[in-house]
Each structure stands twice: as C-alpha cells, then as structure tokens.
Amino acid sequence: MIHENVTGFDPFPRTVIDDELITPTDKRVFALATDLRQGYTIERLFELTKINRWFLDKFSSIIQFIINHSDASAIEDRSLLLEAKRLGFSDKQIAMYCSSSEPEVRGSREGFDIRPFVKQIDAVPAEWPVQMNYLYLTYHVDNNDVQPITIEATPIFVFGSAFYRIDKMSLIGEDFRLITISDVMSDLQRQSFILDNDTQRQIVQIVLKLLNNTNEEVQNQAVKCLSLLVYKIKEDQIRIICQTLCSNCTNVSTITKQLRYISNLGLKAVMESLIINGNGLDNKAHILKEIMNYFINDIRNEELETTTDLNIIIFMLTKTIKNKNIYWEFHQKLKEIILKLLYSNKKNT
C-alpha cells in the first residue's frame, strides 16, 4: 500500500536526516531502514521514533539479513531462501539483492518446494468456530487452515484500499510529494474511482497549493493532476480551480513570475480537459465562457498582463474553433479589445 514500485523494507539510496525519523509519515519506515543499514542502534532509533523496541528489533533482523546474504549463493541455499521468505522478502526483492532475476528466484524457490500456506484469522477466539474468510499467506507453517474450493473457474482474491494518500501530498520532502501525486493521478485515471464532496475540496486545495512549490517537477505534476481532477469533481470545485488559476495568471503584484507561468499552464490543461470532457462543450461551455469573460475584462480594465490575457484567449479560441456559440458570443467583445490594443500601440509609436 506504500507504492507499487517499492520492493520491500528497502533503505533509501541517500542519507536521511533525523527529522525523517521523528515525524511519523508513510515513508518513515524507509528512513528507518536506511539508518539501520548505516549502523544506528535500536536505542538511538527508539529515542527518535518512540517505536516499540520489539518492532525495531524485527526491522533490524531484516537489514542484518540483507547485509549478510546479499550474494547470488543465497538463492541456492534452501534454508537461506526459506528464512528470507519468512522475513517477508518478495522474490523481486531477493533477486535485487542477489543480482538475479525474479523468475530465477521463483524457480529456485519452487524447486525447493517453498510455498506459502493459507491461514485463517480467528476473529472470535474460543467463542464459536470461525466462519469468516479472514485469510493471510505465511511461510511460517506447513499446512493450510482453508483448502481451495474445487471449481472450474480460477479462484481470485479481491484486494482493496482507501484513497488515503491525499494529505501526504503536503508533506515536507519532494520524494514524498512526487510519489504521492503519482499515486493520486493513477487513482484519478480509473473510471470506477469516485471522490466524495469533502475529498474533492481537500484535494483541490492541496493541488492548487502545490502549484507554488519550489520544485518545478512537483509543480508540473500538480498541473497534470489538475487536468485529471476535472473529470472527477463537481462544477463548484472546477470553478474554484479556474478562478484561482485566472487570478494567479494576472496578479503581478503579489504572485511570483514562476507561479503565474505554471498557473498559465494549469489553466490551459484544465480548459483542454473541460473541452474533451464536455463532448462538444454542451455541458462545460459556460465555464469556458466565464474564463473568456475574465480575461476580456482584464484587458478592458487595462491591466498589466495583456500578453497573458491574449495568450489564454487565443488558446481557447483555437481549441473551441468548431463551437460557433463561443466564438460568436464573444465576437464583438474581441473585436473591440483588439482594435483598442492596435490603436493604443499605434498611438504609442
């Protein structure tokens, strides 16, 4: 549930600071692995994390196993391979540390007949026989509590998890933010994924805040996230996004140049998603018209960011050229401001 690209209890490939251990996050476990690899004692880690020493000792056993057996011979020894599986190592992780491949490790494991068994969690101990299928796989036993049902179709497991990573996008540390935003975008692209009203508000606020991040990669990921959010949120939240981005694009007094630039990209990405999601703009045209009005009025008021205004207007006209309603509704207004700008430039020269 941490991330699909994480192979296990692996140390970070970098030095970590004590704050990463002190502050509880969903990535602290990797900082813990890193410091165990670098020689931190259990007592020192307990002082920093307040994690029970029993758990720290178990974590330490995993790292010590990595240190002692990171060579190709480990997959040729049945006892070592069984110990690795009992410590929780995946075949992929074993392959990584033994300079092997996942199929080779799996082949060796199956050759030694090292397979997991199905055990049943007793949710009502000593009261009555267990009926619920709360199951887990383990390498610590040699028998199954539940036998597979004999059916023609292949049995399947259904796994699920909640959309629990939104608040992690605001954590300190670019590694955390980038991984979390990537996870969120993966969820947003799933057709079956639905956000409730509170979650919509929360994620919109956080992603808009990330546009002002000092890391350009985080900013770019936030822009991509906004373009996907449009498909999953209600109109009131779309309006909040558009209003914020419009304001950022034209505010030269309190908004940095970089934020104006990234907001410009974000607004274009959102507009494009609105056009695609609107299926010919039947459902989303009114929001695009509000954006158009905003920038036309900004030019009329002789604001300083005329170039930005025109840039957005041209972008929208280009994307909606087949929609005559938008073009003709703003035809006269556009004609007025263009003539005004031409006259102003001629007068200045």
Side-chain angles (χ1 to χ4, degrees), residues 142-210:
D142 57 5
N143 64 292
N144 293 311
D145 282 349
V146 178
Q147 296 299 324
I149 300 173
T150 304
I151 54 176
E152 293 182 3
T154 302
I156 61 171
F157 281 105
V158 178
F159 297 94
S161 64
F163 191 65
Y164 69 103
R165 299 180 60 86
I166 295 176
D167 58 331
K168 302 297 187 295
M169 289 193 290
S170 58
L171 288 174
I172 297 173
E174 311 307 339
D175 291 342
F176 298 163
R177 289 198 186 103
L178 288 171
I179 291 176
T180 305
I181 295 173
S182 176
D183 289 346
V184 169
M185 288 195 294
S186 295
D187 283 330
L188 291 173
Q189 292 178 74
R190 290 193 285 113
Q191 188 174 1
S192 60
F193 188 75
I194 299 174
L195 295 169
D196 60 42
N197 292 340
D198 288 338
T199 306
Q200 287 182 32
R201 286 191 290 270
Q202 185 182 8
I203 192 172
V204 165
Q205 290 173 3
I206 292 174
V207 175
L208 286 174
K209 185 177 179 181
L210 288 178

Side-chain angles (χ1 to χ4, degrees), residues 87-334:
L87 283 170
F89 288 89
S90 65
D91 290 347
K92 183 177 182 179
Q93 191 180 19
I94 294 170
M96 180 179 69
Y97 285 116
C98 294
S99 301
S100 182
S101 67
E102 190 174 356
E104 287 179 335
V105 173
R106 183 173 294 109
S108 179
R109 176 171 60 78
E110 291 177 350
F112 287 130
D113 196 28
I114 299 175
R115 303 171 188 273
F117 290 89
V118 179
K119 302 301 287 183
Q120 190 171 34
I121 297 174
D122 191 352
V124 285
E127 294 186 30
W128 53 77
V130 178
Q131 299 294 326
M132 295 171 289
N133 267 349
Y134 293 159
L135 309 176
Y136 65 98
L137 297 176
T138 179
Y139 288 88
H140 287 271
V141 296
D142 57 5
N143 64 292
N144 293 311
D145 282 349
V146 178
Q147 296 299 324
I149 300 173
T150 304
I151 54 176
E152 293 182 3
T154 302
I156 61 171
F157 281 105
V158 178
F159 297 94
S161 64
F163 191 65
Y164 69 103
R165 299 180 60 86
I166 295 176
D167 58 331
K168 302 297 187 295
M169 289 193 290
S170 58
L171 288 174
I172 297 173
E174 311 307 339
D175 291 342
F176 298 163
R177 289 198 186 103
L178 288 171
I179 291 176
T180 305
I181 295 173
S182 176
D183 289 346
V184 169
M185 288 195 294
S186 295
D187 283 330
L188 291 173
Q189 292 178 74
R190 290 193 285 113
Q191 188 174 1
S192 60
F193 188 75
I194 299 174
L195 295 169
D196 60 42
N197 292 340
D198 288 338
T199 306
Q200 287 182 32
R201 286 191 290 270
Q202 185 182 8
I203 192 172
V204 165
Q205 290 173 3
I206 292 174
V207 175
L208 286 174
K209 185 177 179 181
L210 288 178
L211 292 174
N212 200 26
N213 191 271
T214 55
N215 185 299
E216 290 186 12
E217 192 173 357
V218 172
Q219 290 180 320
N220 290 329
Q221 289 288 78
V223 167
K224 294 177 183 177
C225 197
L226 284 175
S227 68
L228 294 172
L229 264 177
V230 170
Y231 297 96
K232 297 292 184 179
I233 59 178
K234 293 183 178 179
E235 189 172 303
D236 62 325
Q237 294 303 311
I238 295 176
R239 276 199 166 88
I240 289 174
I241 290 174
C242 293
Q243 289 167 1
T244 302
L245 294 176
C246 287
S247 177
N248 287 350
C249 286
T250 56
N251 188 339
V252 295
S253 57
T254 60
I255 300 296
T256 64
K257 183 177 180 180
Q258 175 62 18
L259 180 54
R260 292 200 303 274
Y261 169 75
I262 206 70
S263 296
N264 187 299
L265 295 181
L267 185 58
K268 289 177 179 177
V270 168
M271 288 162 58
E272 191 148 19
S273 293
L274 286 173
I275 293 167
I276 295 171
N277 194 29
N279 295 323
L281 304 182
D282 295 333
N283 301 320
K284 305 296 181 181
H286 57 288
I287 298 179
L288 293 170
K289 290 176 182 179
E290 290 172 10
I291 297 172
M292 180 76 87
N293 263 323
Y294 178 91
F295 287 100
I296 287 176
N297 291 333
D298 198 61
I299 295 176
R300 281 178 166 175
N301 294 332
E302 298 184 350
E303 299 293 341
L304 298 176
E305 282 298 298
T306 301
T307 303
T308 299
D309 297 331
L310 287 174
N311 181 274
I312 295 294
I313 290 171
I314 292 170
F315 176 84
M316 185 184 298
L317 289 175
T318 302
K319 294 295 180 179
T320 61
I321 194 167
K322 294 182 180 180
N323 189 283
K324 295 181 179 179
N325 290 334
I326 288 184
Y327 179 78
W328 288 112
E329 180 171 337
F330 293 98
H331 175 266
Q332 188 60 35
K333 293 180 181 179
L334 290 170

